Amino acid sequence: MIPPFRSEFTTAQKAAYLTAAAAVLDSGQLTLGPYTQQLEERFAVTTGTRYVTAVSSGTTALEIAFRALDLTGADVLVPANTNYATAEATIRAGARPVLYDCALTATADAIDAARTRATRAVVLVHIGGHITPELDSITRYCTTHNLLVVEDAAHAHGSATSDRPAGTLGAAAAFSTFATKALTTGEGGLITTNDHATAARARHYRDQGKNPDGLNTVFGSAWRMPELSAALGIVQLTTTPTPMQRGHNLLRAYAQRIHHPDIAVPFEPRHRYSGHKAIIQLPDHTQRENLRAHLQSAGITPARGVYDHPLHHQPALGLTGNYPLADHFAQTHLCLPLWPGLTPDQQHHIIDTVNTWNLPKHS
Ligand SMILES: Cc1ncc(COP(=O)(O)O)c(C=O)c1O
């Protein structure tokens, strides 16, 4: 069976990591040391941002960004179609998530429809590395209404729309470096911003809100990234092609070579993609399930949906409402296998299987 995802490192990457790990152990500095700093510097180059803060997860990256932008007490617009973590981090930062309807990418109309008097920020989630084609109109809307844009770029390392990279599109962005991400440190997160004060606050929150004199002056936590984790991230950023470049090329091959009248492969040729997810869209749920069974019978395990349960169905959040775009997307999309080491033969077999799928006669 071809799995949906596999965590894979090359022999050269493993060797480089073991050398770096030994150096970390010898140094005696296991956290907030030179590897964290180097990862931050390299990711600043990857994203074209001034300041990067490495933290313990994508969820804490979001919480810290919300706190650093002083959004406690505010309403924050969050798409209904996103990971539980986007809303969880909003709540943990003391803000209120207000949902806007959203399929794969955000629209200005849906944001406008959801805005409340207390709204101070809008979260754009680049699902699977896809940046909204309405970025310019959303940015204009946010400027007019004095709203901050915060990127949940958990999936979007190396993604860009035209020449504008994820991580630079708002006041701050939160990336995840969880085990399945294109750039991974096992667990971890990276906050990007071009604003010095926001970056300084993020660093303060990351280390228990502690001042050099030992006084804890804001409500931070133990949100640091271990040096051993940072070393793993550096190994991937210094390999060419990077996992993100490999992912982009694999996604482009899916987009160029899947030719089926009932399957859409979202891919904008002028964009760059992280290659985190190979999302395809079907006309309805029955056909999605039929294609899933067809792939499985050919030895291919497609991934679950990016999110099978939009936020208004997540019991822990208690957020209710009617979000038809999010519900339809959850029911009708599928993720094809994708990881940087997917071989040309494997991808050929997947594409061939998709292209020869016979659409059921009724739905
Ligand atoms: C959109 C989004 N935001 C945030 C997160 C949380 O990241 P982490 O698992 O690193 O906390 C995820 C996790 O995949 C995600 O998909």
Side-chain angles (χ1 to χ4, degrees):
M1 291 298 281
I2 301 177
F5 171 80
R6 181 176 284 151
S7 181
E8 263 181 9
F9 298 94
T10 63
T11 306
Q13 284 175 329
K14 283 185 274 194
Y17 176 70
L18 291 175
T19 304
V24 171
L25 299 182
D26 286 344
S27 76
Q29 187 164 6
L30 300 188
T31 192
L32 292 185
Y35 285 87
T36 299
Q37 192 182 337
Q38 209 190 114
L39 178 65
E40 291 171 342
E41 286 165 4
R42 287 197 173 270
F43 200 64
V45 174
T46 303
T47 50
T49 47
R50 285 217 187 105
Y51 308 104
V52 178
T53 305
V55 297
S56 53
S57 73
T59 311
T60 58
L62 280 167
E63 177 176 346
I64 294 169
F66 293 138
R67 288 184 181 275
L69 294 169
D70 203 17
L71 290 170
T72 300
D75 284 359
V76 173
L77 300 190
V78 169
N81 176 29
T82 182
N83 189 295
Y84 162 81
T86 318
E88 182 210 337
T90 311
I91 295 165
R92 287 192 188 276
R96 182 173 80 112
V98 174
L99 300 186
Y100 64 90
D101 203 5
C102 180
L104 177 60
T105 54
T107 62
D109 282 351
I111 288 169
D112 184 46
R115 184 166 63 95
T116 61
R117 288 165 68 92
T119 301
R120 297 219 350 256
V122 176
V123 181
L124 296 181
V125 182
H126 311 314
I127 294 175
H130 292 264
I131 296 171
T132 174
E134 294 199 20
L135 182 66
D136 287 340
S137 50
I138 292 171
T139 305
R140 269 197 305 278
Y141 178 87
C142 289
T143 307
T144 306
H145 295 281
N146 207 16
L147 307 174
L148 297 176
V149 171
V150 180
E151 295 173 76
D152 182 338
H155 300 183
H157 324 71
S159 283
T161 166
S162 304
D163 284 337
R164 300 166 65 198
T168 64
L169 308 176
F175 292 79
S176 164
T177 55
F178 177 65
T180 57
K181 300 300 188 286
L183 171 66
T184 182
T185 58
E187 297 277 1
L190 296 159
I191 303 162
T192 60
T193 180
N194 282 328
D195 180 56
H196 182 265
T198 303
R201 283 195 290 270
R203 278 160 193 268
H204 197 203
Y205 277 109
R206 160 177 81 174
D207 194 18
Q208 305 275 21
K210 194 165 57 191
N211 279 359
D213 62 8
L215 289 174
N216 303 83
T217 53
V218 294
F219 199 64
S221 193
W223 286 325
R224 301 162 294 253
M225 179 184 282
E227 284 284 274
L228 289 169
S229 304
L232 184 59
I234 292 165
V235 162
Q236 295 154 75
L237 282 180
T238 49
T239 308
T240 46
T242 63
M244 290 89 83
Q245 287 161 339
R246 294 180 79 99
H248 173 92
N249 292 343
L250 288 163
L251 189 62
R252 187 180 50 202
Y254 275 134
Q256 287 176 341
R257 292 167 45 203
I258 289 179
H259 299 293
H260 193 292
D262 292 286
I263 298 174
V265 187
F267 185 86
E268 165 56 58
R270 286 171 304 138
H271 286 202
R272 221 168 54 227
Y273 291 90
S274 56
H276 176 55
K277 296 275 181 199
I279 297 168
I280 61 172
Q281 288 176 273
L282 283 297
D284 65 36
H285 181 67
T286 309
Q287 291 175 15
R288 195 267 303 266
E289 291 309 303
N290 186 286
L291 175 61
R292 190 199 295 279
H294 174 70
L295 288 163
Q296 264 157 350
S297 67
I300 299 159
T301 311
R304 296 163 64 113
V306 187
Y307 308 116
D308 290 324
H309 305 288
L311 295 190
H312 54 297
H313 300 305
Q314 292 291 5
L317 295 172
L319 299 167
T320 53
N322 194 18
Y323 301 97
L325 294 176
D327 283 334
H328 183 259
F329 183 78
Q331 294 285 310
T332 57
H333 79 282
L334 192 70
C335 297
L336 296 176
L338 183 65
W339 69 93
L342 185 73
T343 67
D345 280 355
Q346 286 173 320
Q347 193 175 32
H348 179 80
H349 176 55
I350 297 163
I351 291 170
D352 202 44
T353 305
V354 170
N355 283 339
T356 54
W357 172 56
N358 287 318
L359 193 64
K361 287 278 178 291
H362 60 88
S363 61

